Amino acid sequence: MKKPLILITNDDGITAPGLRALVDFMKELGDVVVVAPDSPQSGMGHAITIDNLLYSKKMILDLDDDENTEEYSCSGTPADCVKLALQEILDRKPDLCVSGINHGSNSSINVIYSGTMSAAIEAGIEGIPAIGFSLCDYTWEANFTHAKAQIQQIVREALENGIPPGVVLNVNIPKLETKEFKGIKICRQARANWKEKFDKRISPSGKEYYWLTGEFELLDKGEDTDEWALANGFISVVPTQFDLTAHHAIQTINNWKLN
Amino acid sequence: MKKPLILITNDDGITAPGLRALVDFMKELGDVVVVAPDSPQSGMGHAITIDNLLYSKKMILDLDDDENTEEYSCSGTPADCVKLALQEILDRKPDLCVSGINHGSNSSINVIYSGTMSAAIEAGIEGIPAIGFSLCDYTWEANFTHAKAQIQQIVREALENGIPPGVVLNVNIPKLETKEFKGIKICRQARANWKEKFDKRISPSGKEYYWLTGEFELLDKGEDTDEWALANGFISVVPTQFDLTAHHAIQTINNWKLN
């Protein structure tokens, strides 16, 4: 039987430990092609490169890579990587696209800013089953192997059952030891917000500038949310969609006086 | 009575004719503060600036600006502009945030890539009623005044009725003369896709590079969509949300064998 073809990308860049771990996990499940940014692209949301050119380069990053693994870097955003992979690099449609493992959470409102999830969503838009994986640990030294079994299990189920059309999975993994995981929970996106704080400084030449910083503010006490799951030791899986229509609001706005 | 405070931003940059038109229209309805990118930011999706600094500068772009209009440029993305405006520039919460008028459509799947809509969505996340406006004409010389009455009408209704929490309006305007507009239609986001084509070239130094190009592919025959409305002479209004949960898929994924 033909092995499934798995496209891997991320937003932390092709050399990020989280991606290297995901490549290792996926090699055991299928043929792997990596097309990932050549530099970090965190917080890029669903940006695409319109007014600039894209470079792509074949890479050899892992001497263990066999003929079932190919890797390419791309100078663009995560969404660009997926577009380039599907149109220019792959010779057949992948069976699955996985993005990550992100260094840091993409739960709740973070999904909106996430380059990791934008890559998965881009694949979903193009009709490829897709999953974004994120570990709630921002450090470069984060331990990604604790959740290997669960990540492989989610991927196996996605390959076996498919993912409903128009839906992309957003998987977040709490920062825990393997034996501390309580399980995997299907959730909704928690309502949350970032309370921005701008750190205002003066440059050596006397110009004012700002750093964007902020504090995460959970606005949701539901026990069916990804934030609740993560806080309680579960791996969260949020089915996520790119039809942004607020169908419930159509009727309300229809009552406005518009002609 | 106090005039409403309207925050204006866009993704084409503070000097774009579409923004200048929107400033003119909004001045008649309230006090206006512009915080917009200092350079074009199209296709930026919901990118934010995490690993770089932000500059902001007070501008005088319109000699007609009176004390009810202030303008600031920002070196960041559209979402950065909104964050900076709300935290650092404005001294009170705005009554409304409008983004645009974008030079080009943000209907159907384009909402995902849209810097214009990401700014409006960012305002929505922060609890500000928000509307993104786009004209289906990519040219710099596009005529934005044809839809002045309709844009003002939508804004007046939003100020009067509010917009449901968690919802942001995505307004697209067909490229038509005023008298040709059929009306304003509340719609859902059409299912659509971009069929990418990469234009591969060789740089003067012999390196391969790509330009991302593509063709819009409508996959939806519904007559309740924004694409249908625009094709039939209507201004489309899609209530858009930032809770991306595919609630209908939670049950399906719950049947997977995950522990």
Side-chain angles (χ1 to χ4, degrees), chain A residues 83 113 122 126 196 239 246, chain B residues 83 113 122 126 196 239 244 246:
Chain A
K83 286 177 182 287
Y113 307 102
E122 183 61 39
E126 310 227 12
E196 277 80 35
Chain B
K83 286 176 182 287
Y113 307 101
E122 183 60 40
E126 310 227 12
E196 277 80 32
L244 305 190

Side-chain angles (χ1 to χ4, degrees), chain A residues 40 42-56 79-80 83-85 87-89 109 111-114 121-122 125-127 131 150 153-155 157-167 169 182-190 192-200 203 205 207-212 219 237-259, chain B residues 40 42-56 79-80 83-85 87-89 109 111-114 121-122 125-127 131 150 153-155 157-167 169 182-190 192-200 203 205 207-212 219 237-259:
Chain A
S42 292
M44 281 306 278
H46 210 104
I48 52 173
T49 303
I50 295 174
D51 291 324
N52 208 341
L53 52 85
L54 293 174
Y55 286 111
S56 178
D80 290 333
K83 286 177 182 287
L84 195 73
Q87 297 305 317
E88 291 289 324
I89 295 173
I109 196 64
V111 68
I112 289 274
Y113 307 102
S114 166
I121 288 172
E122 183 61 39
I125 291 171
E126 310 227 12
I131 312 174
Q150 288 86 345
Q153 194 182 9
I154 292 167
V155 166
E157 287 294 307
L159 287 169
E160 198 177 308
N161 302 304
I163 295 176
V167 174
L169 302 187
K182 294 276 168 50
I184 299 171
K185 230 174 151 40
I186 320 302
C187 311
R188 65 173 174 84
Q189 174 186 325
N193 198 352
W194 281 89
K195 269 254 158 283
E196 277 80 35
K197 288 203 179 99
F198 284 90
D199 180 352
K200 196 177 187 172
S203 77
S205 66
K207 277 178 82 173
E208 268 182 6
Y209 66 94
Y210 298 91
W211 286 102
L212 171 58
L219 304 165
V237 178
V238 178
T240 294
Q241 62 191 1
F242 41 86
D243 173 3
L244 305 190
T245 312
H247 291 277
H248 65 280
I250 288 181
Q251 214 176 346
T252 311
I253 312 293
N254 255 324
N255 287 325
W256 287 13
K257 286 183 210 78
L258 302 171
N259 45 11
Chain B
S42 292
M44 280 307 278
H46 211 104
I48 51 173
T49 302
I50 295 174
D51 292 323
N52 208 342
L53 52 85
L54 293 174
Y55 286 111
S56 179
D80 290 333
K83 286 176 182 287
L84 194 73
Q87 297 305 318
E88 291 289 324
I89 296 173
I109 196 64
V111 68
I112 288 273
Y113 307 101
S114 166
I121 288 172
E122 183 60 40
I125 291 171
E126 310 227 12
I131 311 174
Q150 289 85 347
Q153 195 181 9
I154 292 167
V155 166
E157 287 294 308
L159 287 168
E160 199 176 307
N161 302 304
I163 295 177
V167 173
L169 301 188
K182 295 275 167 51
I184 299 171
K185 228 174 153 40
I186 319 304
C187 310
R188 65 173 175 86
Q189 173 185 325
N193 198 352
W194 282 89
K195 268 256 157 278
E196 277 80 32
K197 288 203 179 100
F198 284 90
D199 181 351
K200 195 177 188 173
S203 77
S205 64
K207 278 178 81 174
E208 268 182 6
Y209 66 94
Y210 298 92
W211 286 103
L212 170 59
L219 304 164
V237 178
V238 177
T240 294
Q241 62 190 0
F242 42 85
D243 173 3
L244 305 190
T245 311
H247 291 276
H248 65 281
I250 289 182
Q251 213 177 345
T252 310
I253 312 293
N254 256 324
N255 288 324
W256 287 13
K257 287 184 209 75
L258 302 171
N259 45 10

Side-chain angles (χ1 to χ4, degrees), chain B residues 126-188:
Chain B
E126 310 227 12
I128 317 289
I131 311 174
F133 290 100
S134 306
L135 177 67
C136 298
D137 184 345
Y138 285 89
T139 64
W140 208 241
E141 301 75 24
N143 189 322
F144 292 96
T145 54
H146 289 158
K148 176 178 173 178
Q150 289 85 347
I151 288 171
Q152 288 187 334
Q153 195 181 9
I154 292 167
V155 166
R156 270 196 207 97
E157 287 294 308
L159 287 168
E160 199 176 307
N161 302 304
I163 295 177
V167 173
V168 171
L169 301 188
N170 182 16
V171 177
N172 281 272
I173 301 158
K175 186 183 170 181
L176 292 173
E177 299 291 320
T178 309
K179 61 179 186 297
E180 294 168 337
F181 288 126
K182 295 275 167 51
I184 299 171
K185 228 174 153 40
I186 319 304
C187 310
R188 65 173 175 86

